[in-house]
Amino acid sequence: MQQSHYKWLYLILLSLVWGSSFILIKKGLVGLTALQLGALRTALAAIFLLIIGFRSIKKIKKEQWKWIVVSGLLGSFFPAFLFAFAELEIDSAIVSILNSTVPILSIIIGFLIFSVRSTKNQVIGVFVGLLGSIFLIGSGATVNTHQNYWYALLPLVATTMYGFNVHIIKKYLQEVPALSITVGCFIILLFPSLAVLYFSGFFKTELLQQPEVQVSIGYIAILSVVGTGIAKILFNRLVQLSNPVFTTSVTYLIPVVALTWGVLDGEIFSFWQAVSGIVILIGVYFANKKRRVKA
């Protein structure tokens, strides 16, 4: 199969996996705190990746480890906690739509930090996408008055980190195999994750014996292995096969999957929220639209 075909396959698989992640986070929060969920998600993914790919870290050069650390923190560790805390207050479907701002923020970061030139279409996309995000947060706060929509800022902080991570991998880790990047990142993250679990009281026997906690751990185990471990390998490979904007366009399809799960779980999604979500995706479309080449 040609590389161009592989990147589309990875894109579809990631959309299905990551689109289901938000409902798994929601279910995990039934028995776990946000701190416990974020740390457990990272720790289980790290253990899984160490089992399947420990030898791959030999392919990481000494001077590349600093970027592995940065990539791990921005691409996995902090976002795991930010998304968990966000879903304490706002619906999983809304969080998934805010996650769609990754391509837009990637363009802003690329222009401001990595000297990546922006086209007119990308500027339009950034403006439209950010406008849609403001409308989404505002309309959500109006419809769901019992929810604290200040927490909607947390997914935006996480997506900003994702935007940085995409450019870091593309610029500094392009020659490192995807599995090596992923395993290297999670080796770094394993010990701080275990420390958070310990200090949050996760290992107490009376907690682990609770049925709702055991069910939540099951959901997070699925999220960790499939949604974090395997998906991270696919994502890092996708970055290498394509460009940062195409890679982050996985967020086109993630909201569709996440919204389906949210509606099935009884979440309320208003007309104006739908309109705002469409506006964001229109912004992402323009942000990803290629410049026409003159004949």
Side-chain angles (χ1 to χ4, degrees):
M1 187 181 291
Q2 296 179 352
Q3 286 192 345
S4 60
H5 294 157
Y6 272 123
K7 71 180 184 180
W8 284 104
L9 176 62
Y10 291 155
L11 187 71
I12 294 170
L13 289 174
L14 283 171
S15 300
L16 293 173
V17 171
W18 279 341
S20 302
S21 296
F22 300 95
I23 193 67
L24 291 173
I25 293 172
K26 180 180 179 180
K27 297 299 182 182
L29 286 169
V30 172
L32 299 172
T33 68
L35 276 177
Q36 291 169 342
L37 189 151
L40 181 63
R41 174 183 182 180
T42 306
L44 291 178
I47 293 169
F48 168 74
L49 288 165
L50 283 172
I51 292 172
I52 68 169
F54 179 75
R55 293 181 179 179
S56 66
I57 63 172
K58 295 179 181 179
K59 298 181 180 179
I60 303 174
K61 297 177 182 178
K62 183 178 179 180
E63 63 271 16
Q64 294 171 325
W65 273 104
K66 62 182 178 181
W67 297 113
I68 291 291
V69 173
V70 175
S71 178
L73 292 173
L74 296 182
S76 299
F77 189 73
F78 293 127
F81 294 100
L82 290 168
F83 281 116
F85 275 104
E87 289 198 34
L88 288 174
E89 288 290 336
I90 56 179
D91 290 333
S92 63
I94 301 302
V95 174
S96 75
I97 296 175
L98 291 173
N99 186 61
S100 299
T101 60
V102 175
I104 295 167
L105 293 169
S106 177
I107 290 169
I108 296 174
I109 292 166
F111 176 76
L112 295 177
I113 308 298
F114 293 91
S115 301
V116 178
R117 295 181 62 185
S118 299
T119 66
K120 181 180 179 181
N121 283 331
Q122 289 177 328
V123 173
I124 294 172
V126 167
F127 177 77
V128 173
L130 293 179
L131 195 63
S133 299
I134 294 171
F135 287 154
L136 178 66
I137 294 171
S139 59
T142 302
V143 174
N144 300 302
T145 54
H146 62 288
Q147 297 180 1
N148 185 352
Y149 261 74
W150 284 108
Y151 278 69
L153 297 176
L154 298 181
L156 295 178
V157 175
T159 53
T160 300
M161 292 181 177
Y162 285 155
F164 271 104
N165 185 46
V166 167
H167 287 285
I168 287 169
I169 292 174
K170 192 68 178 179
K171 184 172 182 178
Y172 300 108
L173 301 171
Q174 174 66 20
E175 303 304 321
V176 182
L179 180 60
S180 301
I181 296 173
T182 309
V183 176
C185 287
F186 279 88
I187 285 177
I188 300 298
L189 302 182
L190 177 59
F191 295 104
S193 298
L194 291 175
V196 172
L197 285 175
Y198 176 78
F199 288 109
S200 67
F202 174 78
F203 295 110
K204 292 181 179 179
T205 303
E206 56 269 28
L207 177 72
L208 295 175
Q209 289 178 341
Q210 297 177 19
E212 64 270 20
V213 172
Q214 294 173 359
V215 172
S216 293
I217 291 173
Y219 283 121
I220 301 309
I222 296 172
L223 176 64
S224 301
V225 174
V226 181
T228 302
I230 295 176
K232 272 293 178 181
I233 297 172
L234 295 175
F235 176 76
N236 290 337
R237 183 56 181 152
L238 182 59
V239 171
Q240 294 173 329
L241 287 176
S242 60
N243 57 67
V245 176
F246 178 88
T247 301
T248 53
S249 66
V250 65
T251 49
Y252 276 128
L253 301 176
I254 287 176
V256 177
V257 178
L259 281 170
T260 302
W261 282 116
V263 171
L264 291 175
D265 199 52
E267 294 181 3
I268 299 174
F269 195 69
S270 72
F271 171 77
W272 289 113
Q273 285 175 306
V275 171
S276 300
I278 291 171
V279 170
I280 291 174
L281 293 180
I282 290 173
V284 175
Y285 167 76
F286 276 102
N288 283 284
K289 194 173 181 181
K290 292 183 179 179
R291 187 200 305 265
R292 289 186 178 180
V293 179
K294 295 181 180 180

